[in-house]
Amino acid sequence: MLIKLLERIQLTVGVLFLVVFFITIVIQVITRYMGISAIWTEEVATYSFIWAVFMGASVMLNRREHFKFDLLLNKLKGKSKNSLFLVNDLILLLFSIGLLYLGIEAVQNFWNYTWVSIPVLKMGYVWISIPIMGGTMVIYTFAHILRNVRNFSKKEVAE
């Protein structure tokens, strides 16, 4: 239940930032056509796209829809397949913890930097997307590990 709510929140945030990205690009095209220079549109588009991608990447990890090599996975069955999922999830958990930790460090280091075109906005608002992604990836991966350990004695694996 918590996982579904967290996923829904992340998808909503990701879609909102994707909409901001699209609207900003449209504004940029229109203003260039009119001969007006809207400098702020490049940064807003870039940073909103970063947020959209990071929120989507975390959700894709939860749904196991991210890029993967599944040749070996398709050949295995039962406990062997479950063991491979478990090893994969443990590696993802370590990676996610690293993202969370280093993301927090990046936010602390770059929080007070400002945007070039909109100096009242801090870069910390952009960088905070990394530990949010890492933290939710830790939660999702931990949930996968718990489910796989619970289902280890069953024949089929919960993907």
Side-chain angles (χ1 to χ4, degrees):
M1 174 109 165
L2 171 70
I3 300 295
K4 293 292 182 190
L5 177 66
L6 192 57
E7 185 179 292
R8 180 171 282 157
I9 291 169
Q10 276 194 296
L11 279 176
T12 303
V13 169
V15 167
L16 287 174
F17 276 108
L18 209 53
V19 168
V20 169
F21 169 76
F22 180 75
I23 290 171
T24 307
I25 294 299
V26 169
I27 291 170
Q28 188 175 34
V29 169
I30 290 170
T31 55
R32 281 190 185 175
Y33 181 75
M34 294 170 45
I36 302 168
S37 180
I39 299 170
W40 60 270
T41 55
E42 182 180 347
E43 273 188 311
V44 171
T46 301
Y47 299 149
S48 60
F49 188 72
I50 288 170
W51 265 90
V53 167
F54 285 174
M55 295 302 105
S58 186
V59 171
M60 292 301 105
L61 180 128
N62 184 43
R63 295 181 178 182
R64 295 193 187 272
E65 293 179 356
H66 51 78
F67 181 77
K68 62 182 172 183
F69 296 105
D70 57 359
L71 178 69
L72 181 61
L73 192 61
N74 291 336
K75 292 183 183 254
L76 296 175
K77 295 192 184 323
K79 287 189 179 186
S80 300
K81 190 173 188 177
N82 203 347
S83 297
L84 183 59
F85 269 116
L86 194 59
V87 167
N88 183 39
D89 286 339
L90 288 172
I91 292 169
L92 283 172
L93 183 64
L94 290 174
F95 176 76
S96 301
I97 290 170
L99 266 175
L100 175 62
Y101 176 76
L102 293 174
I104 290 170
E105 277 191 4
V107 170
Q108 290 172 342
N109 290 334
F110 297 109
W111 182 263
N112 288 321
Y113 285 55
T114 59
W115 292 22
V116 174
S117 62
I118 310 173
V120 294
L121 292 177
K122 295 184 181 289
M123 284 300 295
Y125 298 124
V126 177
W127 284 94
I128 204 164
S129 62
I130 297 171
I132 289 172
M133 177 185 65
T136 54
M137 286 171 68
V138 166
I139 293 168
Y140 294 148
T141 306
F142 193 68
H144 290 169
I145 290 171
L146 287 178
R147 185 174 50 230
N148 283 341
V149 167
R150 231 181 287 135
N151 297 333
F152 200 73
S153 60
K154 297 180 183 177
K155 292 215 179 223
E156 286 301 313
V157 179
E159 293 187 24

